[in-house]
Every structure is written in structure tokens, then in C-alpha cells.
């Protein structure tokens, strides 16, 4: 996300500003110590013996550390496409032999015959609630049918992270009204659409009883230690909605996890005497949020009037895409943070879910189920309601520990002011502070390598808060870290870790693993395809994108790359239009169609300008290029002209 507060062109994004006052040792200090040692080792013979392959130069270079995870095992994936160069053009570029079809742009009716999108943004709130939302983000394809049909028919489920009020309303960001708040909340949440592929028409939206929108107004419920009747959730209205759904997850039992990231952004107040509590401040709640001003028209979002409403957000939300009547459930055992996503895997029959808290200086978490997930399901219980939430601590020697956020253990006692497990979860960030977790440079997506269960996480960028000797302080380009749980068991409470990749432009940054051919910054989306290719999607914020003073002019527009985790080889696969981020990726089971999201094309950026009601096309007019239209987030369905596997 790169939403702007006023003024339109900020010096930074809101999530680049830390709200962590703890004295916990930041990750960049730990990483500095580790890089220093790694560099020493890499220069000696020991490097070749103990190497953990990294780098991206096409010929991977060995680096080492005593506790590094072993090399990836299993079959090496192929990277068979010709890389594309960086681009600052207002268009999508793909490798030769690939083609893209734009599908379900913002405003598309979720069923054929639904209210048509109006290019003057005059659709009502009620119409928006029957259309695809704005700012497509995390996404999964749930196949339907049997056999080969599963590659041609399925439910595409996707998040809508935030909105651009300049593009959503005909009068842009002028006076806020109740109807505008209603349209804005309807443009958030999750879309579930059924897609069908034919050779003649490509991918199209089909009529489906499962098609639905879950918006910021849909009735929801709570499960786990913070139950629906918990006093902290009590407010005038029943709990409604999910908001700022960034990345996502999928459970082994076939449900979708929408994750609530910058929920603080929607609250504000005009009350002169209001000050945030310590807990509200820890979650970044202030008088303005993103500057949407919803509180001026709807007291639901006035933090002084309705403070408990904010406690209803910051959770992982489970949605059953196959049952259109299923009420979304907020699974509170996974904690209340700014969840970027929630990636699951299985180990010893248990569910394991990794989730990062995307703010500068916040933490990485893992939930481990307390028994067989199948046994829980057989008893009618959710495996996500029963288990232990941990937060990560990274040590200098390349090891790490998962610290339990369990009431009554460590510092989380009643004597220390922690009432019960619900209290720990409602105040997850403060509990993690107390445990001594390691502050990270903005954890974004997490991906588990299907070949060896190693876990990778994008640390998109960071301020470098207080590190003395850190060569990546500040860290405007980001890292990708990876770790291996003890004995390859994802339920373990210890791990070893190393840096897979230091992003950057070698013209500006000496300490990067990237080259003239592979340069990029701000990794965000991460996904392993079934062959083991690591797909990397970037979200350089519009406060930096294309700007020489930020070292981002040669990196171009946001992009997507593929990496071989064995060798570190990287190839750039696509570049997006102006002002966008690239996020959300999934393929059909046969890997012959890849769906990718292009989010917020045309957003205000110092490099290109600012969309206005008079000229919403000032930055981009992708994908319609209608001289009277406006830019729209959309999904692209990528196929090879020869019908082959994407990326191979
Ligand atoms: Fe919504 Fe952290 O990206
Ligand atoms: Ca991001
Ligand atoms: Ca993201």
C-alpha cells in the first residue's frame, strides 16, 4: 500500500513510521552483526564449505554463517523466460511469448447483469456493494469441477486493501457524506467471483450462487479467546465488516483468510480533548488516520465517540468461499496486529500459520495448532481457535526463537497487568514488546518453500531505528529473509536464519545482491509456485517511486520477478503501469494461467502528478485508456501463447 495522507505528496508512507516505543533490539542491528560475520566468512575457505547460496547475479555466490540453514533441497525450478527491462511507461510489459488479459477491474459487476461500472464514478454505494471493490491485493483461485475443468473454472477470491477517494467519487475528496462513507466501505473487503475460461473469450465472470462481496459493512463474528461478547468489542452496533485487507492465506480445509492491516487508518475525531490511550497509540490510532474523514459523517469511525469499534479490527478473518451464507469469523487466537497476510502450512498434522505485522519496527508471528487439525474439524471445532501464538526473536549467531504469547508465562502474568489470554491477544503488540521480540523492517508477505518447508519473508524497507553500525541503516530497498525451523518441523520453537537477498539498485547501494539486470526495491508479495519458483512482487511507495532523490529512478515502475531459491538467479517477469503496485499472485492448478493484481494505478505520486476530479487520468489511464475514463485496479490473467507453464 502507498496511500497518502494530506498533504498529497508525503515524505513517507504511514506504515514507514514506527509506533513501537519498546527498547527491543531492532532487526537491523542483529542483521548488521550477522552481515559483518557473513562477509568475513564469505571471504575465506569456510564459505565454500558451509555456504548458504544467495545472491542474484546469475551465478550465485556462496556466503556462510555457522548456523545457516542448509541449502534448499529438491528439484530446481526452471526460469525459462526472457527477462523484461525496467520501465516507467504507463503500460504493462511481459516477456516475449506471454500475453495478458485484464479481468475484473474495480467496478465490474460480480455477476453478469449486475450494475454496470460508471466511468464518471457515479455508482451509488448500493451498486458498489454488487461490484468488484477497489485496490485489488491478496488473492487465491479455488478450482471448481473435476479433472481438467479445474483449470478452466473456479472462484477467484481477492482482497481490496484501501481506496483512493479522488478516484472513487465524482467530486473526489470534497465534503464527506454518509453516502460516500457507505460507498467507501462497500469498495473495501473481499470479492468472490466465479471465472470460466474458454479458448474463444479467455477468462470471463460467470453467474454463480457463490459470488458475493464481503465488505466493511458485512455482519461478522468473533471466535477464540476474544469471543463475540467480550466487553472490549461492545459498541452500539453489532460487529460489522473487515477492512484494509492486504495479503491473505488459505487453509488446508479450503477457506480463505483475509487479513486486516492498517485498520487504524479509518478512525479519527474532531473532539478537541481526545488523546489516544497508550494502547491506541501503539496501534497508530490518531486524530486523522489516512485523512479519509469518515468520522465527520459516520460516528462509527469517530474514535472518541466509539472507541471499541477499533478493537474489532486487526484480526485474521476466515471466509468460506464455497458457502455464500457463511458468516466471516475473526480468529482472535492469531492475534491483533496489522496483519499483512497469514500463510499456513502443516507439520505433524497441525496447522501452522505465519503472519507479519507490517509497520516499521514491528514483529513476525507464528501460530501453531495444539493438535491434529483434522481432529479439531471432526469435532466441529476450528483448528485456528486452539493453539499457541508466538513472536520471533532473531539472535546474532543465525539462530532464532519463537516466544509464546501465552497468559501466565514469562512477563505476561496477572501481577504484571495481563488479565487473561484475551487481554494478551487484544494487546498483542504490547505483549510482544514485553517478551523482547525483534523489531523488523516492515514484514510483508511470507511464503513457505514447498520443496523443503523453509520460510521466506519480505522486509519491504525500514528506517533503521537507532542502529549504529548497520550498513543498511536506513534500509530503503528492503530484504528477503529466510529461516528453517529446527529439523524442518514448522511447529518447532527454534530456527536458523539467513538473508536470501538484499534488494537495491547497485548504482546507489553497494550492499545489494542485485545487478543492473535484476535491480528492484521494496519487495512485498512473495509466493512459491508448485515447482518451487519464488515470485517476488514489489511495492515501492509512491513517495519514492521513480524519484532520483530516493534512489528509485532507475528501478522504474513496480514489478514482478521470479527467483530460483537454489541459486539466487533472478529474472524480471513484468512491469506495471504508473503509480501502481504489483501484488496478489496465484495460478490455476496446471500453472497455465497466472492471475496477478495491479493495484492503485494512477495514484498520486511526486514523479507523475495527482489525479483530480477534473483529471483523474493525470498519472495513469490504465487499463481502459478511455479518454473520459479513470485508472482502475484490475486482475490480469497471464498465459503463454504456446500454452506452457508460466515461468518455465
Ligand atoms: Fe498492505 Fe503491507 O502492504
Ligand atoms: Ca507494501
Ligand atoms: Ca502488501
Amino acid at each position: 500500500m502507498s496511500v497518502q495522507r494530506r498533504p498529497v505528496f508525503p515524505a513517507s508512507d504511514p506504515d514507514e513510521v514506527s509506533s513501537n516505543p519498546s527498547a527491543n533490539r531492532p532487526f537491523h542491528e542483529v542483521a548488521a552483526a550477522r552481515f559483518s560475520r557473513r562477509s568475513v566468512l564469505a571471504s575465506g575457505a569456510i564459505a565454500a564449505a558451509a555456504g548458504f547460496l544467495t545472491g542474484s547475479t546469475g551465478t550465485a555466490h556462496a556466503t556462510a554463517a555457522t548456523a545457516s540453514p542448509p541449502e534448499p533441497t529438491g528439484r530446481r525450478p526452471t526460469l525459462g523466460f526472457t527477462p523484461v527491462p525496467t520501465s516507467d511507461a504507463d503500460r504493462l510489459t511481459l516477456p516475449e511469448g506471454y500475453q495478458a488479459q485484464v479481468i475484473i477491474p474495480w467496478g465490474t459487476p460480480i455477476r453478469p447483469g449486475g450494475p454496470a461500472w460508471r466511468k464518471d464514478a457515479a455508482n451509488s454505494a448500493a451498486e458498489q456493494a454488487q461490484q468488484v471493490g477497489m485496490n485489488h491485493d491478496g488473492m487465491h483461485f479455488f478450482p471448481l469441477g473435476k479433472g481438467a475443468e479445474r483449470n478452466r473454472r473456479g472462484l477467484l477470491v481477492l482482497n481490496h486493501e484501501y481506496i483512493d477517494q479522488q478516484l472513487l467519487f465524482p467530486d473526489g475528496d470534497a465534503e464527506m457524506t454518509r453516502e460516500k462513507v457507505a460507498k467507501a466501505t462497500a469498495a473495501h473487503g473481499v470479492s468472490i467471483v466465479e471465472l470460466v475460461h474458454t479458448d474463444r473469450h479467455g477468462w470471463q465472470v460467470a453467474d454463480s450462487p457463490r459470488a458475493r462481496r464481503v465488505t466493511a459493512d458485512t455482519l461478522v463474528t468473533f471466535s477464540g479467546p476474544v469471543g463475540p461478547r467480550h466487553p472490549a468489542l461492545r459498541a452500539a452496533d453489532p460487529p460489522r465488516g473487515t477492512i484494509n485487507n492486504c495479503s491473505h492465506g488459505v487453509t488446508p480445509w479450503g477457506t480463505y483468510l483475509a487479513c486486516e492491516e492498517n485498520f487504524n487508518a479509518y478512525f479519527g475525531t474532531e473532539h478537541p480533548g481526545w488523546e489516544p490511550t497508550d494502547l491506541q497509540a501503539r496501534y497508530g490510532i490518531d486524530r486523522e488516520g489516512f485523512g479519509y474523514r469518515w468520522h465527520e459523517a459516520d460516528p462509527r469511525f469517530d474514535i472518541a465517540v466509539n472507541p471499541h469499534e477499533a478493537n474489532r479490527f486487526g484480526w485474521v478473518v476466515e471466509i468460506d468461499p464455497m458457502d455464500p451464507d457463511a458468516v466471516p469469523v475473526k480468529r482472535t487466537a492469531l492475534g491483533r496486529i496489522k496483519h499483512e497476510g497469514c500463510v499456513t502450512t502443516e507439520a505433524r498434522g497441525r496447522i501452522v500459520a505465519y503472519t507479519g505485522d507490517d509497520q516499521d519496527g514491528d514483529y513476525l508471528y507464528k501460530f501453531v495448532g495444539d493438535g491434529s487439525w483434522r481432529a479439531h474439524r471432526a469435532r466441529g471445532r476450528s483448528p485456528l481457535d486452539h493453539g499457541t501464538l508466538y513472536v520471533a526473536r532473531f539472535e546474532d549467531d543465525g539462530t532464532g526463537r519463537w516466544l509464546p504469547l501465552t497468559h501466565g508465562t514469562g512477563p505476561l502474568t496477572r501481577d504484571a497487568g495481563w488479565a487473561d489470554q484475551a487481554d494478551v491477544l487484544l494487546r498483542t503488540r504490547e505483549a510482544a514488546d514485553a517478551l523482547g521480540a525483534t523489531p523488523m523492517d516492515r514484514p510483508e508477505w511470507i511464503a513457505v518453500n514447498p520443496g523443503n518447508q523453509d520460510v521466506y519473508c519480505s522486509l519491504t524497507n525500514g528506517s533503521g531505528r537507532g542502529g549504529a553500525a548497520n550498513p543498511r541503516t536506513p534500509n530503503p530497498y528492503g530484504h528477503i529473509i529466510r529461516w528453517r525451523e529446527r529439523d524442518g518441523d514448522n511447529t518447532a520453537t527454534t530456527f536458523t536464519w539467513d538473508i536470501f537477498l538484499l534488494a537495491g539498485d547497485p548504482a546507489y547501494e553497494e550492499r545489494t545482491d542485485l545487478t543492473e539486470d535484476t535491480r528492484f526495491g521494496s519487495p512485498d508479495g512473495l509466493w512459491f509456485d508448485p515447482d518451487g519458483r519464488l515470485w517476488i512482487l514489489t511495492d515501492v511507495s509512491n513517495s519514492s517511486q521513480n524519484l532520483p532523490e530516493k534512489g528509485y529512478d532507475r528501478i522504474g515502475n513496480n514489478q514482478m520477478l521470479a527467483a530460483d531459491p537454489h541459486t539466487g538467479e533472478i529474472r524480471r517477469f513484468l512491469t506495471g503501469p504508473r503509480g501502481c503496485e504489483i501484488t496478489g499472485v496465484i495460478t490455476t492448478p496446471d500453472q497455465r494461467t497466472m492471475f496477478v493484481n495491479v493495484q492503485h494505478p494512477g495514484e498520486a505520486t511526486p514523479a507523475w502528478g495527482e489525479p483530480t476530479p477534473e483529471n483523474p487520468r493525470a498519472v495513469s489511464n490504465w487499463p481502459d485508456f478511455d479518454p473520459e475514463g479513470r485508472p482502475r485496479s484490475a486482475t490480469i490473467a497471464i498465459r503463454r501463447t504456446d500454452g506452457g507453464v508460466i515461468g518455465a
Side-chain angles (χ1 to χ4, degrees):
M1 69 90 58
S2 64
V3 72
Q4 68 277 10
R5 291 173 194 254
R6 293 191 187 107
V8 169
F9 301 137
S12 63
D13 278 0
D15 37 18
E16 293 170 357
V17 178
S18 176
S19 66
N20 184 352
S22 77
N24 294 351
R25 193 178 182 206
F27 177 71
H28 59 79
E29 285 186 13
V30 178
R34 187 149 169 75
F35 291 149
S36 303
R37 191 191 59 260
R38 191 176 77 166
S39 301
V40 170
L41 291 174
S43 66
I46 192 170
F52 185 5
L53 296 178
T54 185
S56 57
T57 56
T59 52
H61 57 276
T63 57
T66 49
S68 289
E71 291 177 26
T73 53
R75 197 161 51 96
R76 274 189 57 193
T78 55
L79 300 181
F81 58 89
T82 304
V84 300
T86 60
S87 167
D88 60 7
D90 188 28
R91 63 187 177 91
L92 188 79
T93 58
L94 283 170
E96 200 178 322
Y98 284 78
Q99 57 192 18
Q101 177 192 2
V102 175
I103 60 171
I104 60 166
W106 158 51
T108 304
I110 60 168
R111 289 193 187 87
W117 184 66
R118 291 185 56 166
K119 63 185 177 186
D120 60 357
N123 285 113
S124 67
E127 289 169 339
Q128 176 64 77
Q130 301 173 67
Q131 298 170 330
V132 171
M134 210 176 206
N135 283 18
H136 304 28
D137 207 305
M139 169 171 62
H140 191 71
F141 181 80
F142 293 86
L144 295 172
K146 292 182 178 169
E149 187 184 10
R150 294 167 64 78
N151 301 309
R152 297 193 301 266
R153 192 162 78 87
L155 298 177
L156 196 67
V157 184
L158 64 153
N159 291 338
H160 302 290
E161 186 183 16
Y162 65 103
I163 54 165
D164 187 331
Q165 297 195 154
Q166 291 289 2
L167 297 172
L168 184 65
F169 306 123
D171 64 349
D173 211 17
E175 181 189 9
M176 189 49 58
T177 66
R178 196 69 176 250
E179 167 69 13
K180 287 172 82 169
V181 175
K183 183 176 181 184
T185 52
H188 279 81
V190 175
S191 290
I192 301 173
V193 294
E194 184 168 331
L195 298 179
V196 172
H197 183 268
T198 61
D199 290 340
R200 184 165 180 196
H201 298 294
W203 289 96
Q204 290 190 305
V205 176
D207 201 4
S208 173
R210 298 186 180 101
R212 67 165 160 156
R213 288 296 319 284
V214 173
T215 75
D217 282 317
T218 303
L219 283 173
V220 298
T221 190
F222 289 79
S223 188
V226 188
R229 284 174 289 283
H230 193 285
L233 302 179
R234 206 169 287 150
D237 298 329
R240 283 183 289 140
T242 183
I243 210 157
N244 209 266
N245 305 102
C246 197
S247 181
H248 71 297
V250 182
T251 64
W253 50 94
T255 57
Y256 183 84
L257 302 175
C259 298
E260 299 180 331
E261 194 188 10
N262 294 297
F263 65 90
N264 59 310
Y266 301 89
F267 295 91
T269 189
E270 302 293 302
H271 281 247
W274 181 86
E275 292 290 339
T277 64
D278 287 348
L279 182 63
Q280 288 170 333
R282 185 65 184 84
Y283 283 90
I285 294 170
D286 61 18
R287 306 184 72 89
E288 292 185 346
F290 283 166
Y292 286 156
R293 295 154 47 222
W294 295 358
H295 62 275
E296 294 177 11
D298 187 344
R300 179 185 174 195
F301 298 102
D302 189 320
I303 191 67
V305 171
N306 197 19
H308 285 185
E309 184 70 13
N311 296 335
R312 295 168 165 181
F313 297 95
W315 305 104
V316 172
V317 190
E318 187 174 16
I319 296 171
D320 185 348
M322 299 298 170
D323 178 0
D325 299 320
V327 174
V329 184
K330 301 203 175 186
R331 297 294 179 194
T332 63
L334 279 71
R336 177 169 174 260
I337 57 174
K338 295 186 181 179
H339 289 278
E340 171 73 18
C342 185
V343 172
T344 73
T345 190
E346 294 178 64
R348 299 195 294 126
R350 301 177 183 211
I351 186 73
V352 178
Y354 293 98
T355 178
D357 188 350
D358 180 8
Q359 187 157 356
D360 189 23
D362 261 289
Y363 308 129
L364 268 168
Y365 296 82
K366 167 170 94 166
F367 173 86
V368 178
D370 68 358
S372 158
W373 68 260
R374 287 183 176 81
H376 280 301
R377 297 270 299 167
R379 292 188 201 112
R381 309 195 314 189
S382 170
L384 297 176
D385 288 346
H386 304 278
T388 302
L389 184 66
Y390 299 89
V391 67
R393 182 179 172 101
F394 291 79
E395 308 292 359
D396 289 356
D397 64 359
T399 65
R401 287 183 287 149
W402 291 105
L403 311 172
L405 290 111
T406 303
H407 183 255
T409 67
L412 306 178
T413 61
R414 189 174 289 274
D415 286 348
W418 299 91
D420 52 21
Q421 185 62 19
D423 190 29
V424 169
L425 294 166
L426 281 159
R427 301 195 276 146
T428 301
R429 281 185 164 186
E430 292 183 339
D433 294 342
L435 285 169
T438 302
M440 309 292 279
D441 283 351
R442 295 191 53 200
E444 296 260 20
W445 287 46
I446 298 171
V448 180
N449 187 336
N452 61 7
Q453 294 298 109
D454 283 356
V455 190
Y456 290 61
C457 178
S458 289
L459 303 172
T460 196
N461 53 55
S463 63
R465 327 157 44 239
N470 195 335
R472 303 277 293 195
T473 303
N475 178 15
Y477 295 111
H479 308 158
I480 297 174
I481 190 175
R482 64 177 163 188
W483 62 92
R484 175 167 293 182
E485 307 280 13
R486 190 191 62 232
D487 300 328
D489 173 0
N490 294 84
T491 70
T493 54
T494 59
F495 58 89
T496 53
W497 65 273
D498 207 335
I499 301 296
F500 174 62
L501 177 155
L502 299 173
D505 177 345
Y508 291 106
E509 171 64 270
E510 286 181 8
R511 305 211 63 176
T512 175
D513 293 313
L514 303 183
T515 68
E516 280 296 302
D517 293 332
T518 60
R519 61 185 188 261
F520 72 87
S522 299
D524 188 333
L526 276 189
W527 181 66
F528 277 102
D529 70 25
D531 292 344
R533 287 175 209 88
L534 179 62
W535 295 89
I536 303 167
L537 295 76
T538 74
D539 177 20
V540 182
S541 80
N542 277 327
S543 56
S544 298
Q545 200 173 160
N546 308 111
L547 296 176
E549 62 269 32
K550 299 293 182 85
Y552 267 103
D553 54 317
R554 291 166 17 99
I555 280 176
N557 299 347
N558 275 308
Q559 55 189 276
M560 175 170 166
L561 310 99
D564 177 344
H566 294 247
T567 63
E569 180 186 2
I570 290 185
R571 296 188 188 190
R572 188 179 298 105
F573 181 71
L574 69 76
T575 63
R578 289 178 181 163
C580 82
E581 74 174 269
I582 304 295
T583 183
V585 55
I586 190 69
T587 63
T588 49
D590 66 1
Q591 301 181 78
R592 260 87 178 162
T593 295
M594 173 179 273
F595 300 102
V596 175
N597 281 330
V598 177
Q599 186 185 136
H600 61 73
E603 189 173 83
T605 152
W608 303 113
E610 175 191 358
T612 61
E614 296 72 34
N615 182 18
R617 301 165 293 280
V619 175
S620 171
N621 201 8
W622 191 89
D624 302 333
F625 296 105
D626 181 330
E628 298 176 340
R630 58 192 58 223
R632 296 202 271 175
S633 294
T635 303
I636 52 173
I638 300 169
R639 289 175 64 86
R640 276 169 57 167
T641 50
D642 66 2
V645 168
I646 305 298

